[in-house]
Amino acid sequence: MSECYYSPAGPRDGRITLGGAEARHVSRVMRHQRGDKIVVVDGLGTEFDVVLEAVRPNEVVGRVLAAATGRREPRHSVTLALAVLKGDKLALACEQAAELGISRFIPLKTERTIGRLSAARLERLQGVALAAMKSCTRTVLTVIEPVQDLARLASRAAEYGQALVAYEDEYESGLDNVLDRRASSLLLVVGPEGGFAPDEVRVLNSAGVKSFSLGPRRLRAETAATTVVVSAMQLLGDLGGRNAPEQP
Amino acid sequence: MSECYYSPAGPRDGRITLGGAEARHVSRVMRHQRGDKIVVVDGLGTEFDVVLEAVRPNEVVGRVLAAATGRREPRHSVTLALAVLKGDKLALACEQAAELGISRFIPLKTERTIGRLSAARLERLQGVALAAMKSCTRTVLTVIEPVQDLARLASRAAEYGQALVAYEDEYESGLDNVLDRRASSLLLVVGPEGGFAPDEVRVLNSAGVKSFSLGPRRLRAETAATTVVVSAMQLLGDLGGRNAPEQP
């Protein structure tokens, strides 16, 4: 699959309509014509094989030939909550996590958070998630939540099958020691450059969020975020191989 | 350990000398004085507790109080060979891999490699490796090799306990299926944005480099590089927890 398009509305009466940037890309950049076949995803896990019936610069309409759900998606729903980082680092971490297959990204306000998340930066994260979905041929668009504080995150921890936080003062348990392989949804929490304050970790732990160690080397926050997502996907069998689900 | 300094020469007659940027940092930035204690690493795995005897802008001399080897280092020697990528992506991948604990980084020339590695870019990678060693409190400096072509890499594959290549047309085996946990040294090969040509993979396979899959989602090359290193460290027990070696 070389190129795919995004239509959050999905099909109506067996037809899908693309507008805006997606329509321009189909008509102007790729110069598709009536009768050509393209792939459209709804960002919720379904992809459609579509034959084009009308190609205009601002609107492209196609008839759905086939639909499939969940292709190339991990079996587990993973949410990454990451402290807001300065500059491009937040977008980088969001991009890598979206490629790796997370469902949801929560920018987190913590005691030692330095960066601020303006409306423009939040919008940029949404663009990053969309580009990542397309480049890695996912069918689910990573949902970017508004900034949350730690108390709010803690209050919602019970909504997940398991919730875990990477903590540099935890020495006993690694992710493979604490990860519950049977949980179908997972919240992974990663702190800012200066780490979580001990009080913050107590708040999380009290809400049932278990601490784990990433080992003795002190990782930069954006590296820690990617490391946590890769490790979880690896341990859950969602990084390919014989334990993995269906392949493309 | 908040700050450490780098002296590749190591101690002579029980004393360590820092010059250049390291001496300036001790004397000018940190404003250390005679009698202060600092930590110096030799980049080969040994760290020294040092008491300063002379602090000058260009030369700092200290007496070694204690030495320890291998702290905060993975038990396995991991080499990452990564196709040269455009722009900052190569440096980003090198940085994350160095933080995660690789020993050696090999920039690779492949059929579909687009970026070129000038002498200035190679030197920049060395700076990235040094900064990563310091920021993540490692004691081993990741060795940056000159650019190699694939034939040369293949001819040296037998020098490693195991050699593996991430290949997008491999579906059967994931890293956890092929990784030999008893190998003490590991070569991990990751291709460019457009992937390896089938011929190139055949050359690697013939030299004993086994293919593995990173799963059905198509990762950007720099994300794939970090993913491969994290997965290997996780599966080898080098990312913390009860299977991990000594903690700080």
Side-chain angles (χ1 to χ4, degrees), chain B residues 153-186:
Chain B
L153 186 77
S155 75
R156 290 177 55 189
E159 295 172 15
Y160 300 87
Q162 191 180 31
L164 299 169
V165 56
Y167 184 43
E168 57 185 15
D169 286 340
E170 165 67 40
Y171 302 113
E172 177 64 18
S173 302
L175 187 56
D176 55 343
N177 303 126
V178 296
L179 186 70
D180 177 2
R181 273 82 166 164
R182 296 155 310 169
S184 65
S185 71
L186 186 62

Side-chain angles (χ1 to χ4, degrees), chain B residues 137-155:
Chain B
T137 72
R138 287 188 64 184
T139 54
V140 169
L141 178 63
T142 299
V143 175
I144 309 291
E145 295 212 358
V147 185
Q148 278 180 29
D149 63 22
L150 212 74
R152 168 91 178 126
L153 186 77
S155 75

Side-chain angles (χ1 to χ4, degrees), chain A residues 85-169:
Chain A
L85 307 175
K86 279 199 294 187
D88 287 337
K89 295 180 170 191
L90 191 68
L92 169 73
C94 177
E95 177 179 69
Q96 295 195 325
E99 285 175 58
L100 286 159
I102 64 164
S103 309
R104 196 169 281 271
F105 181 80
I106 304 176
L108 206 56
K109 196 170 174 300
T110 74
E111 250 181 71
R112 298 175 188 160
T113 297
I114 299 171
R116 286 202 323 151
L117 197 65
S118 62
R121 277 187 87 196
L122 193 64
E123 203 177 303
R124 191 174 156 226
L125 289 186
Q126 275 149 358
V128 160
L130 181 59
M133 176 183 77
K134 290 181 167 197
S135 91
C136 73
T137 73
R138 286 188 65 184
T139 54
V140 169
L141 177 63
T142 299
V143 174
I144 309 292
E145 295 213 359
V147 185
Q148 279 181 28
D149 63 21
L150 211 75
R152 168 92 178 127
L153 186 78
S155 75
R156 290 177 55 187
E159 294 172 15
Y160 299 87
Q162 191 180 32
L164 299 168
V165 54
Y167 185 41
E168 57 185 16
D169 287 340

